Amino acid sequence: MKLIIAVIQPHKLPDVKKALFDAQVYKMTVMNVLGCGQQKGYTETYRGEIEEVNLLKKVMLLIAVNEGFVEPTIEAIQKGARTGNIGDGKIFVLDLLDCIRIRTGERGREAIG
C-alpha cells in the first residue's frame, strides 16, 4: 500500500480528476494549501507599498492506493497536471503501513478498496 501526495496548480484540478477517473482511481482527499518552490512567488503593489507574495495557492491531493494502482495513479496525475512550466507541482510516494475503514473495521488492502 502506498500514499501518494501530489501538490498541483489549482486550475489543473479538473484535468487531474478526469485523468484519475479515466485510470479508475476514484478515492482521494483534496485540500487547498499554500506553498513556495522554484517559482519563488511574485511582487505586487498595494496602496503604494511593494509586497512580496512567496506563498502561492496550490492544491494537495492525498490518494491511498494498493500496489497495482501506484504507477497508473502517478501517470494520471502527471498527464492532468503537466503544463511544461515551472510550478507544475510535485508527487511524493510514501509507504502506507496500515489503513482502517471505520465503518466496517476492515484493515489493509481491503480497506483501501
Side-chain angles (χ1 to χ4, degrees):
M1 298 181 300
K2 301 286 183 182
L3 178 63
I4 298 174
I5 302 170
V7 181
I8 63 169
Q9 295 284 346
H11 69 277
K12 296 302 287 180
L13 180 59
D15 296 337
V16 171
K17 280 178 33 184
K18 182 182 182 325
L20 286 168
F21 288 173
D22 291 345
Q24 299 180 342
V25 177
Y26 307 109
K27 301 172 183 177
M28 67 189 80
T29 300
V30 180
M31 294 178 277
N32 289 311
V33 296
L34 297 173
C36 61
Q38 198 171 355
Q39 281 177 295
K40 299 179 184 162
Y42 58 93
T43 58
E44 64 180 33
T45 304
Y46 179 71
R47 295 186 176 181
E49 296 289 323
I50 296 175
E51 292 194 28
E52 186 176 323
V53 179
N54 61 3
L55 292 177
L56 304 174
K57 292 180 181 177
K58 303 286 184 177
V59 170
M60 184 165 60
L61 293 94
L62 301 173
I63 305 169
V65 294
N66 288 316
E67 296 295 330
F69 279 91
V70 174
E71 285 305 316
T73 302
I74 292 169
E75 290 168 11
I77 294 168
Q78 287 179 320
K79 178 182 172 188
R82 180 177 289 136
T83 67
N85 298 320
I86 292 174
D88 278 352
K90 292 270 194 292
I91 300 171
F92 306 97
V93 181
L94 307 169
D95 287 325
L96 188 59
L97 298 177
D98 202 359
C99 178
I100 299 107
R101 182 174 290 159
I102 295 172
R103 178 179 52 90
T104 62
E106 292 172 303
R107 295 184 82 114
R109 291 180 172 86
E110 293 78 27
I112 289 178

